[in-house]
């Protein structure tokens, strides 16, 4: 054992995981460790990164609402990214906006008719969005961009 309680071969025992774990174990209210705490969420394979991010913003189409801009272009597989400027607030505010927008993307992804790359760029006022508002705004933008699988018409 080394000074940190980790064996020299690098394999942690159950006791060392309980006492100084790697931070990935999640516990429920009773203190029991959950086997797979993150069953939902925005998978890392769906994250748009690097030059693809910039390519979508430069060559893709753009639709806007008061809270964010939506850039999109057709692709072989679905990927999305979220961009939040420092002008919108500190790290806590920006991270909350990103969480809400990513969840809105995840919840509305099944409505898309074809795979595409999406980039959402938050605007002033995005910090006041809740999940339902973000979903409805995103669905409206999907409709105007003709990205929805089933076009819903409103009877008047």
């Amino acid at each position: 054992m080394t000074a940190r309680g980790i064996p020299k071969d690098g394999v942690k025992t159950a006791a060392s995981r309980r006492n100084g774990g790697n931070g990935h174990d999640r516990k429920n209210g009773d203190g029991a460790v959950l086997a797979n705490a993150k069953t939902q969420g925005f998978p890392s394979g769906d994250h748009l990164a690097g030059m693809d991010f910039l390519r979508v913003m430069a060559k893709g189409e753009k639709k806007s609402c008061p809270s964010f801009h939506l850039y999109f272009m057709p692709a072989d597989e679905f990927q999305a990214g979220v961009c939040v400027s420092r002008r919108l607030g500190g790290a806590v505010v920006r991270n909350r906006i990103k969480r809400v927008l990513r969840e809105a993307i995840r919840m509305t992804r099944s409505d898309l008719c074809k795979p595409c790359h999406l980039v959402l760029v938050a605007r002033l006022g995005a910090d006041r969005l809740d999940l339902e508002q973000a979903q409805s705004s995103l669905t409206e933008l999907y409709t105007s961009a003709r990205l929805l699988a089933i076009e819903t018409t409103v009877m008047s």
Side-chain angles (χ1 to χ4, degrees), residues 48-111:
L48 193 63
M51 294 304 291
D52 291 335
F53 207 100
L54 298 174
R55 184 175 47 84
V56 172
M57 291 179 70
K59 296 183 179 179
E61 296 182 50
K62 177 182 175 184
K63 296 290 180 181
S64 297
C65 72
S67 301
F68 51 86
H69 298 292
L70 171 69
Y71 295 89
F72 60 95
M73 66 187 305
D76 294 335
E77 63 180 353
F78 175 83
Q79 287 187 317
V82 177
C83 180
V84 182
S85 171
R86 287 185 183 174
R87 287 185 298 150
L88 297 181
V92 173
V93 173
R94 293 194 314 268
N95 288 335
R96 182 189 173 277
I97 294 169
K98 286 188 270 189
R99 279 194 310 271
V100 168
L101 292 179
R102 280 192 200 113
E103 183 65 9
I105 291 170
R106 188 185 72 80
M107 298 293 286
T108 58
R109 174 185 174 178
S110 61
D111 299 339

Side-chain angles (χ1 to χ4, degrees), residues 26 30 32 37 64 77 85 89 93 121-122 124 145 147:
R26 301 277 176 110
D30 301 329
S64 297
E77 63 180 353
S85 171
V93 173
V121 179
L124 290 174
L147 294 174

